[in-house]
Amino acid sequence: MGLDPDLVEQLAAEPIELYAEAELELLAEVARRLGGDLELPDWAERKLAGLTALRAQAQATLERLGRAGEEAARRALARAYQAGGQSALSEVARLSSPRSRRGRRDLAAVSPDVPGAGALARLVAELVAGLRGLRAPILRAVEDAYRDVVARASAPVLLGTGTRRTAVRRALEEFARRGVTGFRDRRGRAWDLASYTETALRTATARAAVAGHLDRLAQAGEDLVIVSDVPGECGRCRPWEGAVLSISGRDRGN
């Protein structure tokens, strides 16, 4: 199967956009709450006292956009699975001949229903669980960034080396440039929220397309596949490019 990167990009675009929107809203909320009362001598105390309200607002934002993002992710994976299955049927039809190979089923007898609902459900459940697991780290990251801005804006004033307004502006600009951070993958690499969710959604969408393709091939009686040789492959896939593999693992070859 030659997985179309543009298709994966297109299908994953909606949930990716929703999580990017969540990050922008969180950044804007932090900036809004820190931007007022800059001339008051007890500015830092006032801002730290507002942490509870910030957390409540951030949590509401995450729940609202998180639910929308999860639904969009479910739709993206379902469409990818269906697209992968349709690609498989097209391949089988193109390669079929009047003298079909032993074990291949007549395409007319292949059910029009998408097989492998269990496989798709597992992919969706895994992705949604991962996205929901981001909410607590996001809240912590937002609170930590808020406290950090307050501390950095207070220091120049106490030392007499600058104004609070300038310090807040610089700290917020750095926060916006860095994004909501604090997410680590299995290799320990640090990510910001937008990049982390984008990678997770694209990976899950691609896996759904592959699962749909393989399930349809198996339903049509095909067990052997050739791994595509495509640019930009990962290190795990590269050694298998061009290899003939058995979907079920039962066909060991000769």
Side-chain angles (χ1 to χ4, degrees):
M1 173 188 181
L3 186 62
D4 184 356
D6 291 335
L7 175 63
V8 172
E9 182 102 14
Q10 179 183 351
L11 292 174
E14 183 186 1
I16 287 173
E17 184 176 345
L18 285 166
Y19 280 93
E21 182 182 343
E23 183 172 46
L24 288 175
E25 284 199 22
L26 292 171
L27 294 172
E29 183 63 22
V30 169
R32 184 185 72 80
R33 290 182 177 275
L34 289 171
D37 305 325
L38 285 166
E39 307 307 324
L40 295 178
D42 61 343
W43 174 84
E45 291 79 3
R46 286 172 175 262
K47 297 309 168 184
L48 290 175
L51 263 173
T52 300
L54 170 65
R55 182 180 180 85
Q57 182 59 48
Q59 192 161 4
T61 297
L62 287 174
E63 289 178 357
R64 173 172 52 84
L65 289 174
R67 285 194 299 270
E70 289 166 15
E71 288 303 316
R74 288 187 178 94
R75 290 194 296 271
L77 265 61
R79 290 167 182 165
Y81 187 90
Q82 291 170 344
Q86 185 56 52
S87 172
L89 290 181
S90 298
E91 281 186 12
V92 173
R94 186 174 65 252
L95 297 173
S96 293
S97 65
R99 298 180 64 183
S100 299
R101 291 183 303 173
R102 182 169 55 102
R104 174 179 291 165
R105 294 178 57 186
D106 184 349
L107 284 181
V110 175
S111 169
D113 298 327
V114 178
L120 177 59
R122 285 191 295 274
L123 286 171
V124 170
E126 180 181 333
L127 176 61
V128 169
L131 293 174
R132 287 181 181 174
L134 295 176
R135 294 186 187 181
I138 290 171
L139 289 174
R140 287 195 299 270
V142 169
E143 288 185 9
D144 289 346
Y146 185 91
R147 289 192 181 93
D148 181 60
V149 173
V150 171
R152 293 175 61 180
S154 300
V157 177
L158 294 173
L159 297 173
T161 58
T163 67
R164 182 181 291 126
R165 186 175 299 277
T166 300
V168 168
R169 176 177 55 79
R170 288 176 178 171
L172 286 175
E173 286 175 352
E174 182 179 337
F175 180 35
R177 184 170 57 252
R178 186 175 65 240
V180 179
T181 58
F183 309 101
R184 294 189 176 275
D185 60 19
R186 295 177 180 176
R187 297 182 180 179
R189 295 175 298 185
W191 297 75
D192 61 87
L193 173 61
S195 298
Y196 187 94
T197 52
E198 181 176 348
T199 299
L201 287 161
R202 285 179 176 165
T203 300
T205 303
R207 288 178 62 195
V210 171
H213 193 88
L214 295 179
D215 284 349
R216 273 300 195 191
L217 287 178
Q219 186 191 32
E222 297 290 345
D223 188 54
L224 297 179
V225 295
I226 299 177
V227 180
S228 301
D229 185 354
V230 297
E233 76 282 358
C234 69
R236 293 178 65 183
C237 295
R238 189 176 299 116
W240 298 99
E241 289 184 333
V244 177
L245 302 178
S246 168
I247 297 174
S248 67
R250 292 189 296 270
D251 193 330
R252 300 288 181 174
N254 296 317

